Amino acid sequence: MGCRACGENGLQEVFHLGRLPLANALLQAGQLDLPEPSYPLNLLLCPRCSLVQIGETVPPQILYGNYLYLSSFSTTFLEHSQRLAERLIAARRLGPQSQVIEVGSNDGYLLQFYARCGIPVLGIEPAANVARVAEEERGIRTLCEFFSEDLARRLQGEGMRADVLHAHNVLAHQPELNGFVRGFKTLLSEEGVLVIEVPHVLQMIEHCEYDTIYHEHLCYFSLTALDHLFRRNGLMIEDVERLDIHGGSLRVFAVHAGRGAPKPAVEELLTEEGRWGVARQETYKKFADRAGALRESLRESLSNLVKSGKRLAAYGAAAKGSTLLNYCAIGREWLEFVVDRSPHKQGLYMPGVHIPIYPTARLLEARPDYVLLLAWNFAQEIMAQQEEYRRRGGRFILPIPEVEIV
């Protein structure tokens, strides 16, 4: 395949995780004995533009037809979003005459903070069940469509332009990056700003976050790759910030090319990524080796606990948890169940390994000795919520960046 961004044909395979089920394809009880689709999951590097990407493209209709990830179930993420909205409202003097649009708006988790201040908002969300939550529970006007350059032109023709255009954790899901980014340019007002957040590949590699790799995430971005992509499509990265959210992310502010100049933070991070080896195959090969060693360390730790008579469960039926369980071949022989806050996931089963999912109250009811924290990126929030479980002697196992029991 050619690079999803620049078309380069000489992509280099750097990590093969095997054939895995779709990370968010949670199962009902009646599906457990049916054949379960799985797809190759291999990580590739483009030596030309440094974009890291997977080789398989699963049709989006399969991935997002009935999507079970709702952003609002994380208090940490809601607070993160509220701070950003309040900051942009003040900095850009947004009001009733402004327009804020979010691509991949999920359940209205972010746009609700603009709407509460009387600022017109529009969400664009392809998952019908999630878009329904945004409209019915939060009153956020939401187009239930896949974003594209054509949709951006249609909205522009209707007089819709974004003074602030958000796209958080959505760019990595796009098979046609250039058209998607041209859509951003089309929808952005002349003085507007595009704000995107993406997991930072540098942080993924340095912290050995192999569970971030799954079929929905087609691309894994460095600022270097984003800079190439945006320049190619008429946008300029004006500023960048490093965030702790989701195990290490970038927040990028982009404007139309020719408006202003990049701030020092942009050049500093581009230089740092170059020194780090963002376009070198060996950088990612070392990551693959570390991931394999970490997998064996985790399996050994869980096996020893079970052999010693300890009972184990897990917390977090998220996509990263599915990758971790299936890549590490951790199933019901070690874990009795998984708990999750989302009622949309409770009563279902983890893909591949078929571990049942229960409400979080199950931890105090069943009292397992140890809980494998699959949603380790929200560790502080989760452990605070589960203080009573810990007070009664329960302990958590953090699987990344090293196996640690707390």
Side-chain angles (χ1 to χ4, degrees), residues 179-233:
F180 205 77
V181 175
R182 286 195 299 269
F184 291 157
K185 179 174 173 57
T186 299
L187 202 51
L188 192 64
S189 70
E190 290 305 310
E191 300 294 334
V193 62
L194 167 66
V195 185
I196 74 162
E197 291 183 8
V198 294
H200 191 192
V201 73
L202 187 151
Q203 298 298 317
M204 182 183 90
I205 300 301
E206 291 194 340
H207 298 158
C208 205
E209 298 167 4
Y210 62 86
D211 57 344
T212 304
I213 304 168
Y214 46 92
H215 295 98
E216 287 172 26
H217 282 177
L218 300 175
C219 299
Y220 303 80
F221 290 101
S222 58
L223 184 65
T224 305
L226 287 171
D227 187 54
H228 286 304
L229 175 64
F230 280 26
R231 287 179 184 275
R232 188 181 304 111
N233 292 289

Side-chain angles (χ1 to χ4, degrees), residues 312-316 325 335-340 363 370-374:
L312 278 60
Y315 191 114
L325 294 177
L335 301 180
E336 295 180 15
F337 57 85
V338 175
V339 298
D340 197 277
L363 290 184
Y370 294 85
V371 173
L372 177 61
L373 190 49
L374 300 174

Side-chain angles (χ1 to χ4, degrees), residues 242-293:
R242 296 190 234 199
L243 311 172
D244 292 332
I245 198 83
H246 293 312
S249 298
L250 294 179
R251 177 184 289 153
V252 168
F253 300 85
V255 297
H256 288 285
R259 294 192 175 274
K263 293 184 178 179
V266 175
E267 295 303 326
E268 289 169 7
L269 184 50
L270 290 173
T271 300
E272 179 183 335
E273 289 183 347
R275 289 197 301 263
W276 173 77
V278 69
R280 293 200 300 266
Q281 187 176 14
E282 56 268 29
T283 300
Y284 305 94
K285 287 285 192 182
K286 291 177 182 177
F287 162 63
D289 292 340
R290 287 177 59 211

Side-chain angles (χ1 to χ4, degrees), residues 343-372:
H344 301 280
K345 298 180 180 182
Q346 294 160 9
L348 301 177
Y349 294 77
M350 295 296 288
V353 293
H354 298 180
I355 303 172
I357 304 166
Y358 291 98
T360 55
R362 181 79 172 183
L363 290 184
L364 288 179
E365 296 167 358
R367 300 276 298 275
D369 299 294
Y370 294 85
V371 173
L372 177 61

